[in-house]
Amino acid sequence: MTTKLFGEPVQRREDARLVTGQGHYLDDFGPGALAAAFVRSPHAHARITDIDVSAALDVEGLVAVYTWEDLPGALAEPLPLLIPHPALTHGRTAYPLARDIVRHVGEPVVMVVAEDRYLAEDACALIEVEYEFLKPVVGVEEAVQGAHLVHEDVPGNVGAHLVQEVPSREGRSAADAIDAAPHRLEFRLDIERSASMPLEGRGVYARWDAGDGSLRVYSSTQTSTSVRMAVAAKLGLPLPKVEVIAPDVGGGFGVKIVHPWPEEILVPWAARTLGREVKWTEDRREHFVSSAHERAQVQHVRVGFDDEGRVLGLDVTILHDHGAYTPYGIIVPIITSTQLLGPYKIGAYRVEFSSIYTNTVQVTPYRGAGRPQAVFCMERTLDRVAAYLGKDRTEVRAANFIGPDEFPYDQGLIFQDGRPLVYDSGNYPESLRMLKEMVGWDSFPEMKARAAAEGRRIGIGIGCYVEGTGVGPYEGGHVQVTSDGRVHVSTGLTSQGQGHETVFAQIAATELGVPIERVSVVTGDTRRFGYAVGTFASRAAVMSGNAIALACRKVREKALRIAADALEADPRDLEITDGIVHVAGTPSASIPLATVAVLSNPLRYAFDEEAKRATQFSGTSAMDRPPVDEGEEPGLEGRDYYSPIRSTFASGMHAAIVETDPETAEITILRYAVVHDCGKLINPMIVEGQIHGGVAQGVGGALYEKMVYDEHGQLLNASFMDFLMPYATEVPRIETAHLETPSPLNPLGIKGAGEAGVIPVSAVIASAIEDAEGIPIDRMPISPSDLYTLRLRLAG
Amino acid sequence: MSEETTRYLVTLVVNGVVREAAVPARRLLSDFLRHDLGLTGTHVGCEHGVCGACTVLLDGEPVRSCLTFAVTVDGHEVTTVEGLAGDNELSPVQRAFTECHGLQCGFCTPGFLCAVTAFLRDNPAPTEEEALEAVSGNLCRCTGYQNIIKAVHRAAEIQAETQGRPEDRGGRA
């Protein structure tokens, strides 16, 4: 019997190569390739007055030096604005190499190509760029004053401004509802910048084949199909002449969804121009100053509520720092402003954001993509409401929950996919009950009192979220059974460690009734599948998982049809078990799927023994029908697409118990508990791994990580020495429990899981520290010295 | 020929095999292994000695290959992730990382595997605290470390089970 693999903790099929050093990451390709390196701006805002490359020309092994003036055609134009939006009235993108003005430290100015990276960097060091300084704009509140401009033609540095309003059921505006509410609060919240920071940086390797005029590009990207279209467009090549492959990718977390990066089009262009293989591998410092960051926001909140803590009106104004350019549009603040509502029904809601230019690295999605800020805002608000009313924090949350019988629930907003924000399913009261039980919420006051008696300060915190996952427009899957009985699955989206090869194989093996060992999966290779969107927004399992399931169902149907012919049976009586099609209850009446694959492809030539069965004198073909009948195609394969009406909404709740040192203000997480609902689980081991990793990044964002810019726009901590990512010693043991509320929107009933872990962590830790300390926590991250200063300020 | 390009012959034993290449004095051991010897299993995550992805065993001891010049290891012995497995099977540490889902993207993994291999050779039955300490010099951005720590203990178990079969231990200098 074939084991049902969907839902099982199947070990990863990726691991055998990854633990033996046999994986192939970007920099592992092209051993003889030329190396590219870049001269990057050391200034946050300056006009380039001269570039003198003469000293570099003597460097042995130098091959080429390029500046903006060397770029032909579309390459010389600004990079694409990937996600236009009517509210983004002043979208601006960079040139691949700076033209006249640089707008952040790290912006590429000159590209050097040499025999190896050492020599390329030697040449970079000898290139003299003269700059005339312009006033740098740093900090979103300074920027919005508009005294100095990041882009001369963007007044007030405002790239976008968007208001969304949902009146109450009685038709009241948020302002009116707040004014009329029995209680009101008003406050400000701050969140600092962090970044995806995958252990492998970006990278591009390109081979030009002059013989047939084709280009093959490898990129450490989250979207190979879209990189392909961008490269073809920028280089003026026919699309079929360009192939893009995302090989093993060493983490993405959002930053690698941005494309095309300057390097992603410059390296292929150089490869074609020089007729040589060219590779660029980002180093860590480059990643800090020339990729992307996220998170920074200032939020102003007004809330009105009743005696039970029900929110009657909520008004949030957000200043969002999007850095120097907006290639990814305003997706991050749109997500913040819509996902802010979480699992709650709010009386009336108004949210306004301004997305602001500063002379800093651009801001694009990092795991969570605006949601950690949203949840921080909502959950801090509910904690304040609870504190004001003297109520338990979980009671106030429960008072605002959407009920399990209220789905689908329309929040009345437009989500990041341009579609209505309608939650498909969930069970928030059950989630809360599970969490409280797991963490011992109700008995915590005694625990706290006991600790206090020992002179220790401990506190408990909670954070709830809803995450729109599996956004469209679509993904596809292709499944082919070959005449050796092997199943070849491909999908266009890419993998960065999520275990897609395993979970997609689980889906295919389950759908087709074949042993998983016979299934192989390819992702992110445009040679295998050309239509895709990419891996982001916790969408891969939902989108490609369902597309592959649908493609498998087509293949299965065809296999049963062909097998029924061969077995002279009714296809409705057939099953597939262990790769054998057989009549249910009569195992002897059977035919291997491999043979079905042979029969599916009428042949003239027998290339092996098995193929003889399908040749034209074998007697297997009906004489009254053409060998490939109307509506049929040769081969046992299927392709299908999954395109959802809208996103599916996962949810979860986290709780933490922290201890703060009364003297040193050191913050220690004693317990961390997660209840997670991503619908039906394909592989619980992998989902838990995703949660662990997300929480660890959340802990980084809550306690350690921030990008520190000085007033000149210099990033002061652009190294792993100074930007503090958690080591094993900083991450608590994470306790997890799963609730499975299937999504009614897709055939597999699944929801996304990739980002969830990170989303509520800052809110949870703030809540717990506030509980331990009894002082309001309104900005994250919080370091021991921040907490110490807060104590002094409140004591003074 | 300039100071940057003068080449020096470096001969060493890598994963039990004598290898040699002529490289400039400034070539990092990480680049030497990856680009001159083609052993791309060793990864480079920061090039300033913090992340530990480039960890290899130099005469059996873990070192950051991105902070080591290739010319300084002439005559020494290096084990990389490619040398941890036995002929036909994974080493206990490799098996444990697989069983415990101790890796996701796999980029930092070779450094962890090398560090843990050396650690368990010296401390075959670590306490919780010691296992945590053993992996606290390496950064991982994917796993949250919980399953990595689990894998350290599991590897110790497997190692104990297979004791007396030294070919299973892998990575021994």
Side-chain angles (χ1 to χ4, degrees):
Chain A
M1 282 292 289
T2 302
T3 319
K4 188 178 164 294
L5 292 161
F6 189 103
E8 296 299 316
V10 174
Q11 281 192 16
R12 298 203 331 161
R13 319 177 87 222
E14 293 84 345
D15 292 0
R17 68 172 185 274
L18 300 181
V19 299
T20 51
Q22 304 304 313
H24 277 85
Y25 300 85
L26 192 281
D27 191 49
D28 304 342
F29 289 87
L34 298 175
F38 291 83
V39 176
R40 297 179 184 275
S41 171
H43 306 296
H45 200 189
R47 185 181 305 280
I48 299 167
T49 55
D50 186 46
I51 302 175
D52 180 1
V53 304
S54 53
L57 299 179
D58 296 332
V59 170
E60 201 180 315
L62 179 76
V63 176
V65 178
Y66 303 109
T67 66
W68 177 81
E69 291 184 348
D70 299 308
L71 305 180
L75 263 184
E77 294 166 10
L79 296 164
L81 200 165
L82 291 169
I83 310 178
H85 189 287
L88 181 57
T89 51
H90 294 77
R92 296 290 181 272
T93 58
Y95 291 91
L97 292 171
R99 178 187 183 183
D100 302 333
I101 293 180
V102 288
R103 293 188 177 85
H104 67 87
V105 171
E107 190 161 349
V109 180
V110 183
M111 175 165 73
V112 170
V113 182
E115 292 295 336
D116 73 24
R117 179 65 176 254
Y118 289 70
L119 300 170
E121 291 189 20
D122 286 346
C124 285
L126 294 169
I127 291 170
E128 301 276 351
V129 184
E130 271 179 35
Y131 296 95
E132 174 195 322
F133 301 140
L134 300 169
K135 183 75 184 163
V137 180
V138 182
V140 73
E141 287 174 298
E142 188 197 314
V144 82
Q145 301 301 319
H148 303 283
L149 299 177
V150 176
H151 299 271
E152 271 176 8
D153 55 350
V154 181
N157 292 309
V158 179
H161 179 251
L162 184 64
V163 180
Q164 290 206 64
E165 276 201 87
V166 193
S168 69
R169 284 177 207 278
E170 302 78 41
R172 259 186 186 153
S173 71
D176 288 349
I178 295 166
D179 289 340
H183 313 286
R184 283 177 294 281
L185 288 169
E186 190 170 346
F187 50 92
R188 169 202 169 120
L189 300 167
D190 287 80
I191 300 109
E192 301 265 9
R193 270 186 186 220
S194 184
S196 302
M197 214 47 76
L199 261 287
E200 181 204 33
R202 299 175 293 131
V204 193
Y205 158 59
R207 296 182 198 169
W208 171 251
D209 187 327
D212 66 3
S214 71
L215 180 70
R216 187 189 296 181
V217 179
Y218 292 81
S219 180
S220 185
T221 180
Q222 291 176 223
T223 174
S224 53
T225 45
S226 198
V227 169
R228 179 192 188 205
M229 289 190 271
V231 168
K234 284 290 186 186
L235 270 58
L237 287 167
L239 191 65
K241 289 292 185 187
V242 181
E243 299 293 356
V244 177
I245 298 142
D248 285 322
V249 172
F253 314 112
V255 66
K256 294 177 184 176
I257 191 61
V258 182
H259 65 281
W261 291 99
E263 301 86 354
E264 226 160 16
I265 51 177
L266 293 170
V267 166
W269 171 69
R272 187 178 67 169
T273 305
L274 298 168
R276 300 272 305 271
E277 296 180 17
V278 181
K279 182 166 72 176
W280 169 73
T281 307
E282 186 180 56
D283 69 27
R284 188 51 54 187
R285 187 169 180 282
E286 288 183 294
H287 190 75
F288 270 98
V289 298
S290 59
S291 60
H293 303 158
E294 210 231 282
R295 301 288 196 248
Q297 283 180 0
V298 177
Q299 303 165 338
H300 291 275
V301 183
R302 280 189 75 222
V303 59
F305 49 97
D306 67 13
D307 295 340
E308 305 306 311
R310 278 188 292 259
V311 177
L312 305 175
L314 178 66
D315 189 327
V316 180
T317 305
I318 300 165
L319 278 182
H320 174 79
D321 177 356
H322 65 218
Y325 299 105
T326 51
Y328 212 73
I330 48 174
I331 287 298
V332 173
I334 287 176
I335 295 177
T336 303
S337 52
T338 50
Q339 298 257 264
L340 201 142
L341 297 178
Y344 311 112
K345 40 183 179 186
I346 297 302
Y349 178 53
R350 179 181 183 279
V351 62
E352 171 181 4
F353 71 76
S354 300
S355 200
I356 305 296
Y357 286 103
T358 57
N359 287 115
T360 58
V361 173
Q362 68 191 19
V363 165
T364 66
Y366 157 37
R367 194 179 205 168
R371 294 178 188 85
Q373 302 92 311
V375 172
F376 188 70
C377 182
M378 190 73 215
E379 297 296 297
R380 296 281 66 220
T381 300
L382 292 181
D383 277 5
R384 285 186 186 235
V385 168
Y388 180 89
L389 296 171
K391 282 185 166 298
D392 183 280
R393 287 165 288 169
T394 61
E395 261 179 59
V396 168
R397 282 165 174 85
N400 287 285
F401 278 157
I402 296 162
D405 52 354
E406 294 182 82
F407 295 95
Y409 188 87
D410 188 347
Q411 286 283 23
L413 298 165
I414 298 298
F415 191 43
Q416 64 150 326
D417 51 5
R419 289 172 173 253
L421 184 73
V422 179
Y423 296 174
D424 52 336
S425 65
N427 189 344
Y428 310 138
E430 176 59 10
S431 205
L432 182 62
R433 188 198 64 74
M434 288 168 69
L435 182 72
K436 286 176 73 173
E437 189 179 302
M438 182 162 44
V439 78
W441 182 275
D442 289 330
S443 59
F444 183 74
E446 291 98 82
M447 186 179 166
K448 187 175 179 177
R450 280 197 305 277
E454 296 166 9
R456 295 168 58 213
R457 285 186 201 175
I458 63 171
I460 194 166
I462 183 170
C464 311
Y465 68 91
V466 167
E467 181 199 0
T469 70
V471 303
Y474 74 89
E475 288 297 332
H478 179 255
V479 176
Q480 181 182 21
V481 182
T482 45
S483 56
D484 53 5
R486 291 186 215 206
V487 179
H488 308 271
V489 177
S490 63
T491 185
L493 59 63
T494 60
S495 302
Q496 305 86 45
Q498 300 91 336
H500 295 153
E501 283 174 56
T502 305
V503 294
F504 294 158
Q506 284 179 257
I507 290 171
T510 304
E511 291 287 339
L512 286 176
V514 298
I516 195 167
E517 295 72 27
R518 284 196 212 156
V519 183
S520 62
V521 176
V522 169
T523 62
D525 185 337
T526 62
R527 297 172 299 180
R528 290 287 300 277
F529 206 98
Y531 289 93
V533 185
T535 298
F536 57 93
S538 303
R539 70 191 294 281
V542 178
M543 303 302 299
S544 282
N546 278 293
I548 289 165
L550 293 171
C552 285
R553 288 173 194 185
K554 279 190 172 174
V555 172
R556 184 187 168 87
E557 195 209 318
K558 182 168 187 178
L560 296 187
R561 207 164 60 232
I562 295 167
D565 258 0
L567 296 170
E568 296 179 343
D570 186 326
R572 284 169 300 187
D573 297 334
L574 298 180
E575 286 176 357
I576 312 177
T577 309
D578 263 343
I580 313 260
V581 189
H582 61 93
V583 178
T586 318
S588 57
S590 69
I591 179 171
L593 212 46
T595 309
V596 177
V598 172
L599 297 177
S600 72
N601 181 22
L603 294 172
R604 185 172 177 83
Y605 310 116
F607 50 85
D608 64 12
E609 240 356 84
E610 192 69 4
K612 285 181 183 170
R613 292 171 187 257
T615 51
Q616 53 203 28
F617 298 103
S618 66
T620 50
S621 170
M623 290 302 138
D624 56 346
R625 302 199 308 250
V628 178
D629 212 351
E630 201 173 320
E632 292 283 4
E633 286 175 3
L636 185 51
E637 61 183 302
R639 179 187 301 270
D640 210 341
Y641 294 86
Y642 173 64
S643 181
I645 184 82
R646 54 184 169 261
S647 300
T648 172
F649 289 81
S651 63
M653 301 182 188
H654 296 193
I657 297 175
V658 305
E659 175 160 5
T660 55
D661 188 294
E663 284 173 20
T664 64
E666 191 184 348
I667 301 158
T668 311
I669 303 170
L670 302 179
R671 280 190 69 189
Y672 202 95
V674 174
V675 174
H676 181 252
D677 185 352
C678 62
K680 290 175 75 175
L681 300 171
I682 306 169
N683 184 326
M685 178 192 83
I686 284 178
V687 171
E688 274 179 29
Q690 290 293 314
I691 294 171
H692 292 171
V695 170
Q697 283 180 315
V699 168
L703 297 176
Y704 306 104
E705 295 170 11
K706 61 176 174 182
M707 294 289 174
V708 183
Y709 275 100
D710 72 5
E711 71 273 27
H712 307 294
Q714 292 292 337
L715 183 57
L716 301 180
N717 59 340
S719 84
F720 282 170
M721 291 292 282
D722 302 307
F723 177 81
L724 303 177
M725 301 207 306
Y727 284 98
T729 35
E730 279 71 54
V731 180
R733 202 178 77 79
I734 299 150
E735 305 160 53
T736 48
H738 299 290
L739 179 65
E740 294 190 61
T741 314
S743 170
L745 295 183
N746 63 70
L748 297 175
I750 57 181
K751 301 178 177 185
E755 296 169 276
V758 78
I759 293 172
V761 185
S762 276
V764 174
I765 302 294
S767 178
I769 295 173
E770 189 169 290
D771 185 47
E773 292 282 325
I775 50 181
I777 304 297
D778 53 14
R779 58 186 311 142
M780 294 301 262
I782 182 164
S783 67
S785 84
D786 294 334
L787 178 58
Y788 189 79
T789 309
L790 254 186
R791 282 177 184 169
L792 288 182
R793 201 165 73 210
L794 272 118
Chain B
M1 199 169 259
S2 67
E3 177 195 332
E4 282 76 28
T5 52
T6 304
R7 287 173 181 260
Y8 302 85
L9 189 68
V10 178
T11 307
L12 72 173
V13 175
V14 184
N15 302 328
V17 178
V18 178
R19 303 289 303 265
E20 66 177 27
V23 297
R26 62 180 176 171
R27 178 82 90 238
L28 300 173
L29 177 57
S30 50
D31 289 336
F32 177 78
L33 291 168
R34 292 179 48 76
H35 303 310
D36 296 295
L37 302 187
L39 293 168
T40 54
T42 300
H43 297 152
V44 177
C46 69
E47 284 186 298
H48 51 266
V50 182
C51 78
C54 68
T55 303
V56 298
L57 304 181
L58 176 60
D59 299 327
E61 296 306 318
V63 297
R64 304 288 210 234
S65 63
C66 80
L67 295 184
T68 308
F69 288 118
V71 289
T72 66
V73 301
D74 184 53
H76 291 262
E77 206 168 320
V78 170
T79 304
T80 69
V81 66
E82 288 96 338
L84 296 182
D87 282 345
N88 292 312
E89 56 184 341
L90 299 178
S91 76
V93 178
Q94 289 169 317
R95 261 177 66 190
F97 270 68
T98 305
E99 284 179 21
C100 299
H101 189 26
L103 64 148
Q104 290 181 24
C105 81
F107 196 79
C108 69
T109 309
F112 275 97
L113 295 173
C114 288
V116 173
T117 298
F119 167 70
L120 290 179
R121 179 198 59 213
D122 299 339
N123 186 351
T127 63
E128 189 67 28
E129 203 51 32
E130 289 166 341
L132 176 65
E133 179 69 24
V135 297
S136 67
N138 290 58
L139 281 172
C140 170
R141 195 61 163 166
C142 292
T143 64
Y145 304 103
Q146 192 157 322
N147 290 341
I148 291 179
I149 295 162
K150 204 161 124 191
V152 177
H153 293 295
R154 178 68 191 129
E157 258 175 46
I158 299 172
Q159 194 170 275
E161 285 163 15
T162 56
Q163 251 174 10
R165 295 171 58 198
E167 71 274 13
D168 284 337
R169 291 194 204 160
R172 302 201 59 175

